[in-house]
Amino acid sequence: DLERAMGGAKVRMAQLQAEIANVPATPGVFERMSGTINNLINRFGALSAAIATVGIAVKPIIDAEIELQRLNRVLNTVTGSSEATAQTIDFLRSVSQESGQSFSDLSGSFSKFAASAVNAGVPLSTVQTVFANAARAAGNLGLETEATGRILNALGQIASKGTVQMEELKGQLGESLPGAMNLTAKALGLTTQELTKLIESGGLLAEDALPAIGDAMLQLASKSGEVDGLTASWNRCTNG
């Protein structure tokens, strides 16, 4: 029985390597996968390698499911109902596809931002609009997911504090989104100098600033509505 299992495993491994070799993909990805399979065969034998290969294929699926369950728990707390959570997840999938960014990364950033903003009294509809515009701008500018996270973290801080401070608008936002300060001033109907004075006096409230910042970020988004490019296409593929 063991010999038959070993023989069957070797045949399956050969088939798997042949399938990998024939799949057109980004150079280096499947070559590394094939090399990993060969390494497993050399170290543990064909039967163990076959089992390990199944584990390699299944682990991302399990990880994604665990992350989705975690997201559901957070959003249930933020939105207050499972129905609203389901609608929010659909919204996040739509935004991730449109902006060409990772659903998993965007969801994590959104949950933190939404928790801060909603707890500060910002309506969920405003939270979603600002978030969507931030994601679209970040995707269009080709920003890394870490930069998108910093943008949303800055917005979350603004919401939590209740007023805008120069540290968040000119510092964190301005470093990631070129022109954020000027565009926000324009959205508020102010000059940059007037906006600076308003912020320094502590007079710019988060409830007024967040929609304006959202409008400003929309100006940095793709005019066609959907972000193009290799990274965006790859993220859409992996988002499923």
Side-chain angles (χ1 to χ4, degrees):
D1 290 341
L2 180 59
E3 290 181 358
R4 284 199 300 272
M6 292 289 287
K10 288 179 179 178
V11 170
R12 179 60 193 132
M13 296 306 296
Q15 291 174 341
L16 182 58
Q17 287 178 286
E19 291 170 6
I20 290 172
N22 290 327
V23 175
T26 304
V29 175
F30 288 106
E31 288 85 342
R32 289 194 297 272
M33 188 183 294
S34 183
T36 300
I37 293 171
N38 279 326
N39 184 52
L40 289 169
I41 292 172
N42 292 334
R43 293 180 61 190
F44 304 111
L47 184 58
S48 295
I51 296 172
T53 301
V54 172
I56 292 171
V58 171
K59 187 177 185 302
I61 299 173
I62 295 175
D63 290 344
E65 181 61 27
I66 291 172
E67 189 61 33
L68 186 59
Q69 290 178 3
R70 184 181 296 116
L71 177 64
N72 268 279
R73 289 195 296 271
V74 173
L75 292 181
N76 278 337
T77 301
V78 171
T79 65
S81 73
S82 57
E83 181 180 356
T85 291
Q87 292 173 348
T88 302
I89 289 176
D90 287 342
F91 159 78
L92 289 172
R93 292 194 184 282
S94 175
V95 171
S96 64
Q97 291 299 94
E98 184 179 340
S99 64
Q101 297 201 67
S102 163
F103 169 76
S104 177
D105 292 333
L106 275 187
S107 297
S109 297
F110 175 81
S111 61
K112 294 175 184 177
F113 168 52
S116 298
V118 171
N119 286 338
V122 179
L124 184 59
S125 58
T126 300
V127 171
Q128 291 184 340
T129 299
V130 173
F131 167 80
N133 290 348
R136 291 171 183 134
N140 189 46
L141 295 172
L143 301 182
E144 299 290 338
T145 53
E146 291 81 2
T148 307
R150 287 196 298 272
I151 292 168
L152 292 170
N153 181 60
L155 295 175
Q157 289 178 11
I158 290 172
S160 297
K161 294 175 181 178
T163 58
V164 179
Q165 296 184 7
M166 197 63 73
E167 176 188 354
E168 287 90 21
L169 185 56
K170 191 173 183 179
Q172 297 179 52
L173 280 175
E175 288 176 2
S176 299
L177 292 173
M181 183 81 175
N182 293 337
L183 289 171
T184 300
K186 184 177 179 180
L188 288 167
L190 303 171
T191 65
T192 303
Q193 291 76 15
E194 290 171 337
L195 176 59
T196 299
K197 290 181 180 179
L198 184 61
I199 293 173
E200 290 175 347
S201 69
L204 182 55
L205 301 179
E207 60 190 50
D208 298 321
L210 287 175
I213 293 172
D215 291 342
M217 289 187 290
L218 184 60
Q219 302 305 309
L220 300 173
S222 172
K223 303 307 178 186
S224 65
E226 187 171 281
V227 176
D228 296 322
L230 181 59
T231 300
S233 297
W234 173 254
N235 283 332
R236 290 190 185 98
C237 179
T238 57
N239 285 340

